[in-house]
Amino acid sequence: MPNELLIRVVLHGGVVPGVAAFAVLGLLWWRFARRPAAAKAEGPDTPPARGPRWAAPLLLALGFGVSFWVVEQSIELWPVANTRRLYHAALLVGLVGVVEGATRLPWIVRAVVRGAAFAGVAWMLTEGYSPNVLTPAELWLLVAGAGVVGSAVVAFADAGLSRTTGWTGPLAALALIGPLQPFLHLAGYSSGSIALTGVVAVLSSALLIALAFRSLTLGSGTATVLVGLVLISLLGAGVQTEPKSIPALLLVAAAPLALGLRAGGPLTTLVLRGTLVSLGMGAAIGLVVMPGAEASEPDPYADYYSD
């Protein structure tokens, strides 16, 4: 990676989103922690208020967008190239996550909205590859599959994250997103790998805030954004670039399911989630670096050098 790009990725793509997330999450959860216990209930017949759960999904989407801007250095209202629509895809799943975190929608409504968002992400990132790379039937099968499978994965992952409070939630999310960066780089999708820098920074800030405020949780919305970012990454590594290993992509797609698992106490649950994610992501990375998976490809930063 060129030194100039590296500096911009670290400072603009990492430090800025991380500091902003630390300040926003710290302020919001500090205010929530100061509220009297009686004020944390929304009514006599409703469960206790869940805190500002909408903030993490918004910050994660913005962190991804800022890091992607570091690579692209421009934002278009609606780019012609599918590869430049990552902003739009991240914003879409981020908005859905914010709505989930700020409201108490029935589960069927959440499932439909998530499915529609994931289908929209798949369409906006792949429609330009039909009919040359994908046939029209393959395109719509991919769009429908992304909506149905993505919504189901989120439902399972959110069931676990919603019942997780404190620092183990952000750490489990980091265990998922952290290895995704080297996987994408090795899979030939370096721009997607760089864009995740802001996501890692936001989750790191959430981890620090959770050490002070044990009530912090990533439930109700954050799982939607995390799975959405995994979907964006898979579409980049599997459609927008030549896929090196289909089994590796399937392992990555299944990795968010580990966030829904629970096993006794918080530490036991964290170990279980981290172990399964590490095994799956490690195997996926191994598959893309196997000699048979290597392809004769240009330098992933060739576009940057040519600017």
Side-chain angles (χ1 to χ4, degrees), residues 101-253:
T103 62
R104 295 183 184 272
L105 297 174
W107 71 267
I108 186 65
V109 175
R110 295 199 305 270
V112 171
V113 171
R114 291 166 179 164
F118 292 146
V121 166
W123 178 84
M124 71 173 65
L125 296 182
T126 61
E127 54 84 22
Y129 294 89
S130 177
N132 295 326
V133 177
L134 299 170
T135 66
E138 289 174 335
L139 172 63
W140 291 112
L141 181 62
L142 176 62
V143 169
V148 174
V149 176
S151 183
V153 171
V154 171
F156 186 80
D158 185 63
L161 285 179
S162 293
R163 293 171 172 81
T164 303
T165 57
W167 58 272
T168 58
L171 192 57
L174 279 170
L176 171 66
I177 299 299
L180 187 57
Q181 281 195 290
F183 170 81
L184 293 178
H185 177 71
L186 294 170
Y189 189 47
S190 294
S191 59
S193 175
I194 293 173
L196 290 175
T197 301
V199 179
V200 171
V202 171
L203 289 174
S204 299
S205 295
L207 174 61
L208 295 176
I209 297 301
L211 292 174
F213 303 105
R214 303 279 180 91
S215 60
L216 185 146
T217 178
L218 297 181
S220 301
T222 301
T224 298
V225 177
L226 293 176
V227 174
L229 295 178
V230 171
L231 173 61
I232 292 170
S233 301
L234 291 174
L235 293 172
V239 178
Q240 294 182 357
T241 59
E242 183 70 24
K244 291 187 176 182
S245 172
I246 299 300
L249 298 178
L250 294 176
L251 285 171
V252 174

Side-chain angles (χ1 to χ4, degrees), residues 43-67:
D45 300 322
T46 58
R50 301 171 299 172
R53 296 189 181 193
W54 55 268
L58 177 61
L59 292 168
L60 288 170
L62 292 177
F64 182 88
V66 170
S67 294

Side-chain angles (χ1 to χ4, degrees), residues 275-297:
T275 299
L276 292 179
V277 169
S278 298
L279 289 174
M281 296 300 294
I285 291 174
L287 288 172
V288 297
V289 299
M290 287 174 59
E294 294 293 337
S296 178
E297 297 181 352

Side-chain angles (χ1 to χ4, degrees), residues 54 57-58 61 88-102 113 117 221 224-225:
W54 55 268
L58 177 61
H88 309 71
L91 179 61
L92 177 58
V93 295
L95 290 176
V96 173
V98 170
V99 171
E100 287 189 56
V113 171
T224 298
V225 177

